[in-house]
Amino acid sequence: MAGALAAQNGTARMLFALGRDGLLPRALGRTMHRFGTPAAALTLVLGAAIAMGLGFGLGFQPLPAFGLLSLVVTLCALGAYALAQFGLARYFWRLGEFNPFWHGLLPTVAVAAIVYLFLKNVSPQPPYPSNLAIWISIGWLAVGILAMAGLMIFKPDRLSEAAAILGEGDTPEERGLLDG
């Protein structure tokens, strides 16, 4: 339960930040005046959680639905961890501080472990409905790629600003965003 609450809070905070920065609808970037709570983002996450819980629970029964959603989360997390390993190597390569052991060998070993875990989760094919997890994960990846392509085409300036905030490009000091 605590993990689910933390994940929902983290998701709402991410939606809030993306809305505040103009990468999602600005309404998600608003907070309640009294507490500073991102109410719109939290409401969206709550609605999505209820819809998914009821939809999957009623469609597949609670325990199989939990197994399916758990496998989707696992596969997506493994994909994110693998991308982080590639990002680590690329970051230090571009920075000119690439260390073959720390930024080459260890991320390669980590990706190999991630691939192994991924394969063990999908082979042999899990029983229905968990066998749908790979397709749901691929669909989620496609949505993410399409969303990124849309941002690159329709909001490249906002995407550049977000990249600067996340560490690509100049530091906040170099851009004059911080005093000192």
Side-chain angles (χ1 to χ4, degrees):
M1 184 65 125
L5 289 174
Q8 287 188 330
N9 186 40
T11 301
R13 291 287 172 181
M14 190 172 294
L15 292 174
F16 159 74
L18 292 170
R20 178 196 62 207
D21 295 340
L23 295 170
L24 288 179
R26 292 260 185 211
L28 293 172
R30 295 191 191 118
T31 60
M32 292 178 61
H33 294 292
R34 184 170 179 196
F35 300 108
T37 306
L42 281 167
T43 303
L44 178 64
V45 171
L46 174 65
I50 290 171
M52 286 178 61
L54 288 175
F56 281 94
L58 294 172
F60 298 119
Q61 299 302 314
L63 191 56
F66 179 78
L68 169 61
L69 292 174
S70 297
L71 188 52
V72 168
V73 169
T74 299
L75 297 177
C76 290
L78 289 172
Y81 294 150
L83 287 175
Q85 300 308 310
F86 291 114
L88 170 93
R90 180 174 183 260
Y91 175 78
F92 282 101
W93 184 271
R94 291 181 64 196
L95 197 62
E97 297 180 13
F98 185 84
N99 178 299
F101 179 76
W102 293 110
H103 312 126
L105 180 63
L106 286 182
T108 301
V109 170
V111 169
I114 290 166
V115 167
Y116 171 78
L117 291 171
F118 184 88
L119 291 173
K120 287 307 246 181
N121 275 287
V122 297
S123 181
Q125 184 176 6
Y128 180 83
S130 292
N131 64 333
L132 302 174
I134 186 71
W135 300 110
I136 294 171
S137 300
I138 290 170
W140 190 245
L141 174 64
V143 167
I145 290 170
L146 290 173
M148 182 60 75
L151 287 172
M152 291 171 72
I153 293 167
F154 298 111
K155 295 186 178 184
D157 55 326
R158 298 253 172 86
L159 197 56
S160 296
E161 291 171 12
I165 292 168
L166 294 173
E168 291 286 324
D170 298 331
T171 65
E173 293 88 357
E174 292 169 340
R175 296 191 60 177
L177 299 175
L178 297 177
D179 294 330

